[in-house]
Amino acid sequence: MIGAFEHLARPLLSALDPEDAHRLTVNMLKFAPLPRAGKDDRRLAVRAFGLNFPNPVGMAAGFDKNAEVPDALLSLGFGFVEVGTITPRPQSGNPRPRVFRLDADEAVINRLGFNSQGAERVLQRLARRARKGGIVGINIGANKNSSDRVGDYVRLIERFAPVASYLTINVSSPNTPGLRDLQQASVLGDMLARVIDARERAAVPTPVLLKIAPDLSLNELDDIVGVARARRVDGMIIGNTTVTRPQSLRETERAKEAGGLSGRPLFSLSTRMLAESYVRVEDVFPLVGAGGIDSGTAALAKIRAGATLVELYSALVFRGLGLVAEIKAALLAAIEGERQNGFKTLIGADAAAMTAEPWPQ
Ligand SMILES: Cc1cc2nc3c(=O)[nH]c(=O)nc-3n(C[C@H](O)[C@H](O)[C@H](O)COP(=O)(O)O)c2cc1C
């Protein structure tokens, strides 16, 4: 049924301004009766950060910024949903237009700038659904005009730990000036110490993940992984959107828009950074791969580059929500092909070889 709806709705959605199309989709998920995806094959199950994921395919942060539809997304077949980014106080983000589709590239550029209804409103929503189960991660960020950004993260950890399956520290959005500077090892070390301390003080041991940009140098990545290991984060997400513009882009005019690029052209860079992270993390914690996943093959490549879980967003704009079932079917076929009972032996199988390849352009 979601397929039929999308079949009718897709021409309309693609004719609308991307942000209006997104709002319409969220409302549809909120108000339309949705079919439940069937129960996942047990071989798709993954255990990570102490959580049992029914399948490894998650909705990336940014689609459901205010936790309006996590349960609808779970029932459509995602193994987990990451809501947010949520900021402590409400803020409207940058002026519109601020989301751009690059149709010929199957890419998106956004400079939303953490438009968020703020912690209190979102907390109420999450508290109402807390007993429903399903894995709902909460991605948190600092307010643009905050005088104490590290303090913002600490307070959000304290507030959201009781209702989150996991928490993601987002220091990698390119659309809040100066935010990515929090990735500098000296600042990050201090911040993660305070964040982990806040988590320890919370009543529940909610896992804390760190989401990084794909635009780091390998020296910076060395430092970040070193700090993440030393501070004992539970995992990393690699990664956020890129401020680079790959040479392959066809929509050269649209590509000039400021903001973070996501979707297919992000795949090579983000998968390389994932492999580079995997060889540095040495299995101390699991990784989540995001960036340009638009097929089962792409999802499998992320797993082979080192991802235990994957997340996607942009490809859903071009391929529709049916993509989730397609990816899960392809992953299942891969396990069957290898006569595996799960993904364990596939995770990171290509990482070392990938790090020896020429840097993706
Ligand atoms: C419109 C849009 C909004 C996004 N907002 C957020 C956000 O609020 N927080 C975040 O951590 N990532 C955000 N992202 C990044 C995605 O979570 C993801 O890391 C990135 O888009 C790469 O995956 P993809 O190529 O499958 O889209 C956003 C992406 C898009 C396209």
Side-chain angles (χ1 to χ4, degrees), residues 52-325:
N52 292 316
F53 294 76
N55 74 69
V57 186
M59 172 57 99
F63 179 84
D64 191 10
K65 282 186 186 261
N66 295 301
E68 294 174 89
V69 289
D71 295 301
L73 293 167
L74 289 170
S75 67
L76 286 174
F78 283 103
F80 62 109
V81 174
E82 186 165 321
V83 302
T85 294
I86 299 161
T87 56
R89 282 170 290 108
Q91 62 177 35
S92 54
N94 290 321
R96 289 178 69 166
R98 53 192 181 171
V99 185
F100 306 88
R101 267 191 309 259
L102 282 67
D103 289 312
D105 299 300
E106 298 201 7
V108 174
I109 290 176
N110 93 81
R111 52 169 180 269
L112 288 161
F114 287 174
N115 48 324
S116 172
Q117 292 178 354
E120 289 317 309
R121 186 103 183 259
V122 178
L123 197 58
Q124 283 171 12
R125 253 183 223 130
L126 287 168
R128 276 202 295 273
R129 64 133 338 255
R131 289 195 187 168
K132 286 196 176 159
I135 297 184
V136 178
I138 300 180
N139 179 308
I140 57 174
N143 276 115
K144 183 180 179 184
N145 61 2
S146 170
S147 55
D148 176 15
R149 285 188 169 166
V150 174
D152 279 8
Y153 288 94
V154 170
R155 278 187 292 280
L156 289 170
I157 293 273
E158 289 165 351
R159 299 290 280 144
F160 282 102
V163 294
S165 302
Y166 67 85
L167 292 150
T168 299
I169 307 293
N170 178 10
V171 283
S172 46
S173 165
N175 302 313
T176 297
L179 191 88
R180 286 174 304 162
D181 295 344
L182 294 172
Q183 293 176 119
Q184 283 166 20
S186 55
V187 189
L188 188 66
D190 219 43
M191 162 157 158
L192 289 180
R194 288 185 57 193
V195 157
I196 297 291
D197 186 54
R199 190 273 306 274
E200 301 301 314
R201 279 185 276 111
V204 276
T206 311
V208 171
L209 316 190
L210 177 69
K211 183 168 180 179
I212 63 170
D215 302 329
L216 301 159
S217 72
L218 292 181
N219 283 337
E220 288 170 323
L221 187 64
D222 284 343
D223 291 346
I224 289 173
V225 171
V227 167
R229 288 177 60 160
R231 298 300 178 193
R232 296 178 184 278
V233 304
D234 298 280
M236 277 171 53
I237 305 180
I238 298 127
N240 217 311
T241 57
T242 179
V243 294
T244 65
R245 297 291 181 263
Q247 288 164 6
S248 60
L249 290 178
R250 293 201 272 165
E251 302 236 15
T252 46
E253 275 311 303
R254 278 274 157 87
K256 290 180 189 153
E257 293 290 351
L261 175 79
S262 55
R264 184 181 278 179
L266 175 57
F267 180 78
S268 312
L269 174 65
S270 57
T271 307
R272 176 63 178 263
M273 287 302 279
L274 174 64
E276 297 285 354
S277 302
Y278 182 81
V279 297
R280 287 164 172 77
V281 169
E282 298 174 310
D283 263 341
V284 170
F285 48 68
L287 302 178
V288 183
I293 297 175
D294 61 358
S295 65
T297 311
L300 190 61
K302 290 281 186 197
I303 291 170
R304 297 187 68 98
T308 297
L309 300 162
V310 296
E311 291 183 336
L312 68 156
Y313 180 172
S314 301
L316 299 169
V317 173
F318 304 100
R319 304 282 162 119
L321 286 159
L323 180 58
V324 180

